[in-house]
Amino acid sequence: MDPADLPELIVAESKGDVIAKTWAFCPITGDLLILDAAAGVARSERADFSRPLSDLDDTMTVVTTSDMDVYMRQYAMEPLIKSREQLEFEELLKNRVRATVEEPCPRCGNPILEYYTMQLRSADEGQTVFYECPKRDCGYRYSTNN
């Protein structure tokens, strides 16, 4: 395709840190262009259309957001600095009397697990049961909703 036939690179109205652009779409099919850094082009998957990535220099702002609580829960990470509420909750859990059940630990196979329950959902739904392996070198924890 002749570069003169390419649609003009238009930068739309700025909305804070995010700038909407028309260059991200194929003018033939309307599909979102695939950014291929190895080939140095933004290309269409269904049409014979590509645009050099150099056309996009200084026109793109990448903005990402993350929810640290969700991220830490997803990867089972403990925060380095804990809030007062978190420390109080952990102290409450340590002092809680736990029952035991003859159920093998999914991680280490220990034949007994400790468990306790909490009402985390609405009152008309069952309690959440928290299981924990009592072996110090394992300490595996998981929960189920009843």
Side-chain angles (χ1 to χ4, degrees), residues 113-125:
L113 291 175
E114 294 178 345
Y115 73 94
Y116 59 92
T117 61
M118 291 181 100
Q119 187 68 38
L120 299 179
R121 298 175 294 154
S122 63
D124 64 338
E125 296 186 40

Side-chain angles (χ1 to χ4, degrees), residues 94-121:
K94 284 180 191 174
N95 295 330
R96 183 179 295 261
V97 176
R98 297 181 181 175
T100 59
V101 63
E102 291 184 12
E103 188 74 30
C105 173
R107 181 182 287 166
C108 72
N110 185 43
I112 296 175
L113 291 175
E114 294 178 345
Y115 73 94
Y116 59 92
T117 61
M118 291 181 100
Q119 187 68 38
L120 299 179
R121 298 175 294 154

Side-chain angles (χ1 to χ4, degrees), residues 10-25:
I10 300 169
V11 178
E13 177 183 337
S14 174
K15 297 177 178 129
D17 290 339
V18 180
I19 300 174
K21 297 168 187 64
T22 58
W23 56 259
F25 299 95

Side-chain angles (χ1 to χ4, degrees), residues 34-43 50-56:
I34 307 298
L35 301 179
D36 185 352
V41 297
R43 61 178 169 73
S50 64
R51 165 175 275 143
L53 286 178
S54 60
D55 288 355
L56 310 177

Side-chain angles (χ1 to χ4, degrees), residues 66-83 86 90 107 141:
S66 65
D67 183 339
M68 188 51 91
D69 291 335
V70 171
Y71 180 82
M72 291 177 73
R73 232 182 349 263
Q74 181 179 3
Y75 294 104
M77 299 171 68
E78 294 285 329
L80 294 176
I81 301 173
K82 297 180 181 180
S83 69
Q86 180 67 26
E90 288 177 3
R107 181 182 287 166
R141 292 185 280 185

